[in-house]
C-alpha cells in the first residue's frame, strides 16, 4: 500500500516528507519490483533468486551496541557486543537519514509486523529498506499482521537498512570497516550500512529479544521446537550449525513450531519468527523434502548458482558461498503448526535435547544429564568442526558457544542459564545429550558419522519416554548416564568404551577432549558463579581425576 512517510510517523525518526513509501507490499508486488529493479530473477517453481553482494553471511565484527545509560550496565560487553559511542551513532544515523531523504525518487519499503507468536510477549517491529528483496526477506521471516492488526500500530523496535551507505570514516571512529550494524537499545532503533545480507535484520531482532525478554523472566533460546500432532509433548532442540537441529526437529508425526528462535514464558514456548531461513548447500530432495518443497512461489533464494538460461539450480555449487540460503513463510512447511493454521506456540517442553557433533568420538550417542550437567553443557555449547566444513580445518576442532548461540547473546550467558535452570526445575523437564557425530572412532580415522536413522530412533525413544525404561551406566569421563540398552540399537555402540576397538586410543582421545573443556575460555568465563547461584563446579571425570570448573 502506497502511503506517505509522515502518515506512518517516519518523520519522528528523521525521515522527512517521504512520498514514495510502500507499507507491507504483497509478495507479488515485491517480486515484480525485484525483477524490474534488476535485483534478482524468478527460478525454481516460481521462487525468487538474488545475490546479496560481497557479504554472503553476517559480519559480526561490524556489529556494535551504543554505550548509553539505559542499557550499559546490563550488556555483556566484549567481542560479541562491541561498544560504540552515542556520538558515532548520531553521525552515522544522520548519514543514513540523509540517504533516505535524498532518494525519495525510488521506493522506500516498510514492513510492519511482529516478533513473537505469543501475543502476550510479541514485539512490534518495523523494518525500513530501499531494496525490494530485503522487504521480501523480512516479509518471509517475521510474523505478518492479520486483518486489523496494524490499526494503531506503533513500532517498538525499528531497523533502518541503508545497505548502499558505507562509512568511509570508520578508521577515525575506531571501527572495523566501512560496514556498520549499530543498535541503540535506549532509542529502540538500529541502522545497517555497507552490507545487503538479510540475516543481519533477522539476527538483529533476535539480539534485541535476547535483551528484552530475559528482563521479563522469559528465556530466549537459539533452538528448534516441535510437538505431537495433537499439540502435546513439546520438545526443544539446542544445537550449533551442523549438529542436525533443523533435520531432527523435522518429523512427519511431529509438526514443527519453528527451526531457530524461540521463547519460554510462563505460558509455554513460542516461535519468534514467521518463517524459516534454511541452508541449501547440497540440498537433496529425498533427504530434506520439507525444505526442498518449500522452495516455490513466495520463497527467496540467496547466492545459489544457477544456469542463466534454464534457471536450474546447482545446489552442490558453493563457488559463491557455502552459506547459500532460502527464506520462506512457515506455512510453506505443510507439517508445521503454522501450516495447520495455528499460531506457532505450545505448552511447556517435556523434553530438552542438546545436540552435538562430536568429531572426536568420545561422547556417547545419547546420554541423560543431571541438572548440574545440563547447566554446564548449556554454558559450554560444545560441538566440533570437521575437516572440510571450513577452509583450513584439517583436524577435528572443538567449538564452544555459550547457550548454543553465543554470537546473539546480549546479556551475560549466566542470565540465560539461570532462566533455563529455573524453568527446568519448575516444570520438571529432563535433558538429554544426543551426539550426531562420531561414535567408536574419531572423524580423522575415516570412519562414518553415526547413522542418521539410528539418531532418529534415539530421538524418538527420548520423546516417547522409552529411554527411561533403560538401565543406565556412568560415562567414565563426563559422568553422563548412558543407557545400557535402547531398542534395536547395538548396545556396544551406546557406550564409547565398548564402541572403540582401540581402547588406548579412546582413552587418549577422551583425555584430550576433557582438557579442551578445561582450557581457559573467553570473557564469558570470568565472573563468579555465585552471581546466579549455579554450582558449575563439579567432578566430571573419574578416570583422570580432575574437577571440571568454569569460574564464571
Amino acid at each position: 500500500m502506497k502511503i506517505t512517510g509522515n502518515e506512518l510517523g517516519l518523520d519522528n525518526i528523521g525521515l522527512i516528507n517521504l512520498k514514495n513509501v510502500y507499507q507491507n507490499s504483497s509478495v507479488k508486488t515485491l517480486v515484480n519490483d525485484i525483477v524490474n529493479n534488476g535485483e534478482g530473477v524468478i527460478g525454481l517453481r516460481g521462487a525468487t533468486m538474488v545475490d546479496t553482494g560481497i557479504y554472503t553471511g553476517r559480519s559480526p565484527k561490524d556489529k556494535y551496541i551504543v554505550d548509553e545509560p539505559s542499557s550499559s550496565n546490563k550488556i555483556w560487553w566484549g567481542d560479541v557486543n562491541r561498544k560504540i559511542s552515542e556520538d558515532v551513532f548520531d553521525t552515522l544515523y544522520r548519514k543514513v537519514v540523509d540517504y533516505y531523504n535524498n532518494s525519495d525518487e525510488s521506493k522506500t519499503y516498510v514492513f510492519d509486523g511482529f516478533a513473537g507468536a505469543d501475543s502476550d510477549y510479541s514485539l512490534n517491529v518495523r523494518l525500513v529498506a530501499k531494496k525490494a528483496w530485503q522487504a521480501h526477506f523480512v516479509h518471509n521471516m517475521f510474523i505478518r499482521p492479520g486483518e486489523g492488526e496494524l490499526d494503531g500500530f506503533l513500532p517498538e523496535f525499528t531497523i533502518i537498512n541503508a545497505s548502499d551507505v558505507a562509512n568511509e570514516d570508520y578508521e577515525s571512529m575506531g571501527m572495523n570497516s566501512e560496514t556498520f550494524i549499530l543498535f541503540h537499545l535506549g532509542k529502540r532503533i538500529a541502522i545497517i550500512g555497507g552490507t545487503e545480507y538479510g540475516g543481519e535484520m533477522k539476527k538483529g531482532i533476535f539480539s534485541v529479544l535476547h535483551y528484552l525478554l530475559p528482563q521479563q523472566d522469559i528465556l530466549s533460546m537459539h533452538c528448534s521446537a516441535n510437538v505431537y500432532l495433537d499439540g502435546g509433548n513439546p520438545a526443544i532442540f539446542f544445537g550449533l550449525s551442523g549438529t542436525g537441529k533443523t533435520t531432527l526437529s523435522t518429523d512427519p508425526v511431529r509438526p514443527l513450531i519453528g527451526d531457530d528462535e524461540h521463547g519460554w514464558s510462563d505460558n509455554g514456548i513460542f516461535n519468534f519468527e514467521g518463517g524459516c531461513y534454511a541452508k541449501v548447500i547440497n540440498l537433496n530432495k529425498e533427504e530434506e523434502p520439507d525444505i526442498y518443497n518449500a522452495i516455490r512461489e513466495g520463497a527467496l533464494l540467496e547466492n545459489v548458482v544457477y544456469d542463466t538460461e534454464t534457471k536450474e539450480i546447482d545446489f552442490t555449487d558453493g563457488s559463491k558461498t557455502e552459506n547459500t540460503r532460502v527464506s520462506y513463510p512457515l506455512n510453506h512447511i505443510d507439517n508445521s503448526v503454522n501450516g495447520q493454521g495455528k499460531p506457532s506456540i505450545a505448552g511447556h517442553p517435556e523434553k530438552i535435547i542438546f545436540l552435538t557433533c562430536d568429531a572426536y568420538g568420545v561422547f556417547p550417542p545419547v546420554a541423560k544429564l543431571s541438572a548440574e550437567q545440563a547447566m554446564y553443557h548449556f554454558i559450554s555449547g560444545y560441538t566440533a568442526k570437521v575437516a572440510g566444513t571450513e577452509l583450513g580445518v584439517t583436524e577435528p576442532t572443538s567449538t564452544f558457544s555459550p547457550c548454543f548461540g553465543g554470537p546473539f547473546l546480549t546479556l551475560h550467558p549466566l542470565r540465560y542459564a539461570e532462566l533455563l535452570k529455573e524453568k527446568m526445575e519448575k516444570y520438571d523437564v529432563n535433558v538429554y545429550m544426543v551426539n550426531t557425530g562420531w561414535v567408536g572412532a574419531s572423524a580423522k580415522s575415516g570412519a562414518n558419522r553415526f547413522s542418521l536413522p539410528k539418531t532418529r530412533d534415539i530421538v524418538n525413544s527420548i520423546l516417547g519416554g522409552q529411554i527411561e525404561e533403560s538401565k543406565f551406566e556412568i560415562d567414565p569421563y563426563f559422568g553422563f548416564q548412558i543407557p545400557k540398552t535402547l531398542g534395536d540399537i547395538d548396545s556396544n555402540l551406546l557406550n564409547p568404551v565398548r564402541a572403540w576397538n582401540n581402547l588406548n586410543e579412546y582413552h587418549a582421545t577422551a583425555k584430550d577432549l576433557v582438557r579442551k573443556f578445561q582450557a581457559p575460555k573467553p570473557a564469558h568465563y570470568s565472573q563468579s558463579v555465585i552471581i546466579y547461584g549455579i554450582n558449575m563446579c563439579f567432578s566430571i571425570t573419574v578416570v583422570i581425576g580432575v574437577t571440571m570448573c568454569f569460574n564464571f
Side-chain angles (χ1 to χ4, degrees), residues 117-137:
D118 185 334
S119 59
D120 288 343
Y121 303 109
S122 66
L123 182 73
N124 292 358
V125 295
R126 169 168 286 173
L127 298 108
V128 185
K130 293 298 287 185
K131 294 190 183 299
W133 82 257
Q134 292 171 343
H136 188 351
F137 176 84

Side-chain angles (χ1 to χ4, degrees), residues 19 28 37 92 209 211 241 264 318-319 346 440 462 482 508 517 551:
K19 307 297 184 185
K28 183 177 180 179
N37 295 342
L92 291 175
L209 293 171
Y211 172 75
S241 178
W264 186 356
S319 58
I462 293 171
I482 303 174
F517 271 82
N551 294 314

Side-chain angles (χ1 to χ4, degrees), residues 129-178:
K130 293 298 287 185
K131 294 190 183 299
W133 82 257
Q134 292 171 343
H136 188 351
F137 176 84
V138 296
H139 177 278
N140 283 354
M141 291 311 305
F142 294 99
I143 297 173
R144 295 157 292 282
E147 186 176 354
E149 287 190 315
L150 291 185
D151 294 344
F153 180 90
L154 293 174
E156 295 170 304
F157 202 94
T158 299
I159 293 180
I160 307 175
N161 193 322
S163 55
D164 285 342
V165 174
N167 176 22
E168 299 88 351
D169 301 320
Y170 72 93
E171 289 181 309
S172 65
M173 294 177 177
M175 299 174 71
N176 177 66
S177 77
E178 292 185 344

Side-chain angles (χ1 to χ4, degrees), residues 9 16 18 63 87 109 143 215 222 238 284 306 403 423 434 443 448 477 489 512-514 520 538 541:
I16 307 297
L18 297 186
K63 173 189 167 187
D87 287 343
Y109 300 94
I143 297 173
Q215 296 182 67
H222 185 221
F238 289 95
N284 183 292
Y306 58 89
C403 310
K423 294 182 185 300
V434 172
N448 291 326
Y477 284 94
I489 298 173
D512 182 55
L513 182 57
V514 169
F538 57 93
T541 171

